[in-house]
């Protein structure tokens, strides 16, 4: 079992895991499809659609304990995910779609329309998981059913829930969080946003967090 749980990074405080995201996604509840598929396209030779069940069955399964750090300063610690190491997923996908070797970015999209762009280096790191289980049970719709990216070293906005599509890109493009996000979003470097240093955002987010939580707590 891979264990990336560590001390709290700068500017974070520990909380229990709750459903969260950008305010405009709070009301977009996803009904997981009976037969989920993952669409892979963009700067590739052969765009394809993979059956998620078949994909996971072909790859090694790993259980991993890691933390989720939201840019708004909360962290949920010691989450036990299970799924396929994304590095293995990436290898399988590359063989099928044949991406342009100059495409160094991957746009990930969820069934709710949420998007986030990751550097290929970051998404192919050792501790990135394509998870379908959390704490020994199938992933719930609240936390990303049927499938989510778990990217522990990046802020939560890179850990796309309800993952349905991957698009290889030559350049970074802002995802759903727009100017509020950082192309890399590394937690250790406090890359909360591409504008203004992390310690400034830390204070802004700490003040804004109660408001940001509101749409997720009222149904
Ligand atoms: N599809 C989708 N994925 C998403 C989001 C979202 O709104 N939709 N929000 C992101 C943000 S900002 C965070 S902090 C985490 C929250 O994960 P949780 O709901 O499991 O706590 O999901 C990330 N992935
Ligand atoms: Mo977040």
């Amino acid at each position: 079992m891979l264990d990336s749980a560590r001390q709290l990074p700068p500017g974070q405080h520990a909380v229990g895991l709750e459903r969260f995201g950008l305010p405009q996604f709070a009301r977009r509840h996803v009904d997981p499809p009976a037969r989920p598929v993952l669409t892979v396209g963009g700067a590739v030779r052969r765009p394809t659609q993979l059956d998620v069940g078949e994909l996971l069955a072909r790859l090694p399964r790993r259980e991993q304990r890691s933390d989720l750090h939201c840019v708004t300063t909360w962290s949920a610690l010691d989450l036990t995910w299970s799924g396929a190491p994304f590095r293995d997923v990436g290898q399988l996908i590359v063989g099928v779609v044949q991406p342009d070797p100059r495409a160094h970015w991957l746009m990930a999209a969820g069934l709710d329309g949420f998007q986030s762009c990751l550097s290929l280096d970051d998404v192919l790191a050792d501790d990135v998981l394509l998870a379908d289980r959390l704490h020994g049970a199938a992933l719930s719709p609240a936390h990303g059913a049927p499938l989510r990216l778990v990217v522990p070293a990046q802020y939560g906005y890179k850990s796309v829930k309800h993952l349905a599509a991957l698009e290889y890109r030559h350049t970074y493009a802002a995802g759903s969080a727009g100017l509020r996000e950082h192309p890399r979003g590394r937690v250790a470097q406090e890359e909360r946003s591409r504008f203004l240093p992390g310690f400034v955002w830390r204070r802004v987010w700490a003040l804004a967090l109660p408001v940001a939580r509101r749409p997720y707590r009222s149904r």
Side-chain angles (χ1 to χ4, degrees):
M1 174 160 145
L2 197 87
D3 194 339
S4 71
R6 264 178 238 113
Q7 275 198 322
L8 277 174
Q12 298 296 115
H13 65 277
V15 299
L17 185 68
E18 280 182 43
R19 178 173 179 261
F20 190 73
L22 296 174
Q24 66 266 40
F25 294 94
R27 285 172 187 282
R28 300 197 202 169
H29 293 275
V30 167
D31 273 332
R35 284 205 69 171
V37 292
L38 184 63
T39 302
V40 190
V44 303
R45 198 174 280 189
R46 298 171 193 276
T48 193
Q49 226 178 39
L50 301 163
D51 181 284
V52 168
E54 285 171 19
L55 175 72
L56 292 178
R58 283 168 68 183
L59 296 170
R61 177 166 287 273
R62 180 171 82 201
E63 192 166 271
Q64 144 176 349
R65 188 154 68 100
S66 46
D67 304 334
L68 172 64
H69 306 292
C70 174
V71 71
T72 63
T73 71
W74 63 260
S75 294
L77 307 181
D78 297 335
L79 306 174
T80 304
W81 304 99
S82 163
F86 193 81
R87 189 172 278 171
D88 295 322
V89 177
Q91 249 174 30
L92 188 148
I93 286 176
V94 162
V96 178
V97 303
Q98 301 170 28
D100 183 334
R102 292 166 305 168
H104 293 300
W105 295 90
L106 201 59
M107 182 68 91
L111 290 166
D112 57 354
F114 180 91
Q115 291 195 321
S116 187
C117 193
L118 295 112
S119 107
L120 222 44
D121 286 345
D122 291 339
V123 81
L124 294 174
D126 274 342
D127 58 354
V128 178
L129 199 70
L130 188 66
D132 64 342
R133 299 177 70 77
L134 171 61
H135 296 319
L139 210 52
S140 66
H143 297 297
L147 198 64
R148 87 180 273 170
L149 269 180
V150 173
V151 194
Q154 262 68 27
Y155 283 112
Y157 53 67
K158 305 281 185 190
S159 287
V160 176
K161 299 188 282 187
H162 321 294
L163 185 71
L166 296 171
E167 188 193 290
Y168 282 85
R169 295 184 50 92
H170 291 113
T171 54
Y172 167 77
S176 302
L179 298 179
R180 283 165 293 179
E181 65 184 52
H182 186 283
R184 302 288 299 277
R186 287 170 294 185
V187 177
Q189 277 85 345
E190 211 174 344
E191 292 170 339
R192 293 182 194 271
S193 163
R194 64 196 306 187
F195 300 111
L196 299 176
F199 68 85
V200 176
W201 280 104
R202 190 197 289 187
R203 298 197 184 139
V204 172
W205 280 127
L207 287 170
L209 183 53
V211 177
R213 274 206 182 110
R214 210 173 287 155
Y216 281 90
R217 286 188 168 166
S218 62
R219 304 204 54 191

